Amino acid sequence: MPARSVGEPLRKGLAALPTAMGVLSRLVAERVIEAGRDVESLLRRAGLSPALLDDPNLRVGARNQLEFLNMAATELGDDLLGFHIAQAFDLRELGSFYYVMASSEKLGDAILRESHYSSVVNEGLRISCQKASMFSVDFEYVGVERHLDRHEMEFWITCNLRKSRFFTNRSLVPTYVGFIHRHEGDLSEMERYFACNINFGASADRISFELQAADLPLITADPYLNRFLVDDYERAFASRQFSRNPLRTRVENAITPRLPHGDANIGNIASDLGMSPRTLSRRLAEEGHTFSSILDELREVLAKNYLKHTELSISQITWLLGYAEASSFVHAFQRWTGMSPSDARRRISRADLDESHSGKHIS
C-alpha cells in the first residue's frame, strides 16, 4: 500500500507536489513534546497532521516539513535545531534508506546509493556526488524554494558526515563544507563537530572529502543485504511518480546564491539553467511569471527575514540582496511594505513579530 501524505500545496495549480518520509518531522515533534510545548498546534500551523506522530508510513509535504522545522526552532529557541537532531537521533530511524547505505562495500558506494535513492525518501531533495580533485556530495532542493530553509539542510549535511564516520569507523574531517544560506551568531559548536571551517553564503550546499575517502571500506558492509535492498529500491524507484520542478522555483534557487555577488541577472540565471535568456523569458511567461517579478518578490521575502536578525545592519542587508546602494534597498522596501527598513525592524522588535497591526505588515 503506498504511503499517504499530508501537507498544504506549495502554490495553487501545481500538481504532484514533493513529499517526504515523515521521519524528520517526527523527530522534531518529539523535541517539541519533550520541551512540554503544544506540538499539535505547531503541526497544524505548518500544514501537517498530528496523525504523523502515530503513523510511520505517513508522508508529509516537503515544504511543510521545512516550515515545521522553522517554527519548532523558534518555539524551542534552538538556532541549530537541524544540526542537533542530526547528531542525536538513531540512524536506523531512516529505515531501509539507512541499511542500503550501511550495507554497501565502500563509502563511495554508500554515498552513491544515497544520491540515487534520495528522491524516494524526499522528493524535494536531490543528492549528487562526484569525484574530481575531491570527493564531493551536493544537496539541491527540487520543487521547494531554497531560501525557505536552513535547518533541514544543516540536518542533511551533518547527517551525511555522521553516517560517513560511523560506516567507516574513522574520524573523517571534510575538506570543505558549504551552505547557501547565511548563519549569524556563534558557530563554534558546528565547527567543532565538522572540525573545519564552514562556509555560509556559498554557491552550493556541499560537503567534500579527500578523494581517497570514497574507497574506504565500510565496517557495516553486508553484500547479501545490499543486493536485496538495491533490488527493492530499484522497484520502488521505477514505480514512483516524482514531482516536477517548476521553473519559477528553479529560478529562485539559482538567484539565491548569486544575490550577494550582485550578478543575479537574467543572463547569468539562464546560463545556470542551461538555456538562453529569451527561452527563459518565454518559459516563465508560459507559467505566468517574469524574471524581474520573481527577483523582486524573492528580495522582499529575504529582506523581511534578514531584518529579524538585529546583528545585520541595513548596509549588510543591502549587500545580501544584491543592491548597489542602500537607497535602492530602502526605496524597494517602502514599495513593498509602505515603511522603511528601520521602521520595520523597530516594529518587529516592539511587537515580537506580532502581525496584529492593521494595514500593511511585514510577514
Side-chain angles (χ1 to χ4, degrees), residues 52-324:
L52 72 87
L53 299 173
D54 302 311
D55 187 349
N57 294 315
L58 194 65
R59 294 182 70 87
V60 302
R63 186 178 191 266
N64 302 87
Q65 181 164 268
L66 297 185
E67 293 177 348
F68 181 49
L69 261 71
N70 291 339
M71 292 178 182
T74 300
E75 184 74 17
L76 299 173
D78 187 350
D79 202 38
L80 297 172
L81 180 60
F83 168 69
H84 287 148
I85 290 176
Q87 294 178 81
F89 84 108
D90 189 329
L91 291 171
R92 293 172 295 181
E93 293 266 15
L94 295 172
S96 59
F97 186 60
Y98 161 78
Y99 289 104
V100 76
M101 289 183 283
S103 60
S104 300
E105 181 183 0
K106 299 177 180 179
L107 182 60
D109 299 326
I111 301 301
L112 189 62
R113 302 278 187 259
E114 179 181 37
S115 64
H116 191 51
Y117 303 129
S118 61
S119 55
V120 175
V121 176
N122 188 330
E123 296 168 351
L125 181 70
R126 179 184 293 133
I127 303 176
S128 59
C129 59
Q130 53 275 331
K131 296 179 184 178
S133 59
M134 294 182 289
F135 177 46
S136 298
V137 188
D138 282 19
F139 299 76
E140 178 187 4
Y141 282 132
V142 179
V144 178
E145 304 97 314
R146 176 61 181 88
H147 67 269
L148 295 176
D149 179 49
R150 192 186 80 197
H151 297 286
E152 184 161 339
M153 190 58 72
E154 291 179 7
F155 168 85
W156 277 109
I157 291 184
T158 303
C159 192
N160 182 277
L161 177 58
R162 183 184 169 201
K163 286 181 294 187
S164 297
R165 287 172 172 171
F166 177 71
F167 293 159
T168 62
N169 195 30
R170 298 191 181 213
S171 300
L172 292 177
V173 175
T175 55
Y176 175 84
V177 177
F179 294 96
I180 288 176
H181 63 265
R182 304 194 67 81
H183 201 317
E184 310 302 329
D186 185 7
L187 298 172
S188 58
E189 185 181 355
M190 289 189 75
E191 290 175 342
R192 283 194 300 273
Y193 184 81
F194 283 90
C196 68
N197 292 327
I198 302 174
N199 301 277
F200 288 95
S203 60
D205 296 299
R206 174 178 300 156
I207 183 169
S208 301
F209 303 93
E210 295 288 352
L211 194 58
Q212 58 267 31
D215 295 322
L216 290 174
L218 303 195
I219 62 171
T220 53
D222 184 334
Y224 300 100
L225 176 62
N226 189 256
R227 190 178 307 121
F228 170 79
L229 290 173
V230 166
D231 289 344
D232 193 50
Y233 260 99
E234 286 297 328
R235 286 192 294 271
F237 193 81
S239 66
R240 291 194 64 82
Q241 294 292 323
F242 295 110
S243 306
R244 64 191 180 99
N245 195 8
L247 182 58
R248 175 185 176 124
T249 304
R250 293 173 61 199
V251 169
E252 289 176 338
N253 291 347
I255 288 173
T256 301
R258 281 190 174 274
L259 274 179
H261 304 286
D263 59 0
N265 55 63
I266 191 169
N268 287 333
I269 299 304
S271 177
D272 291 343
L273 298 178
M275 61 184 79
S276 69
R278 177 173 294 184
T279 299
L280 177 57
S281 295
R282 175 177 55 78
R283 291 184 56 187
L284 284 174
E286 290 170 357
E287 289 190 6
H289 307 298
T290 65
F291 179 81
S292 60
S293 66
I294 292 174
L295 175 60
D296 193 58
E297 291 168 15
L298 177 59
R299 279 172 159 165
E300 179 181 358
V301 171
L302 291 173
K304 293 171 181 177
N305 182 58
Y306 290 148
L307 284 170
K308 298 174 185 177
H309 299 280
T310 55
E311 61 272 20
L312 288 176
S313 67
I314 299 300
S315 61
Q316 287 175 313
I317 295 175
T318 297
W319 170 72
L320 289 172
L321 296 176
Y323 289 106

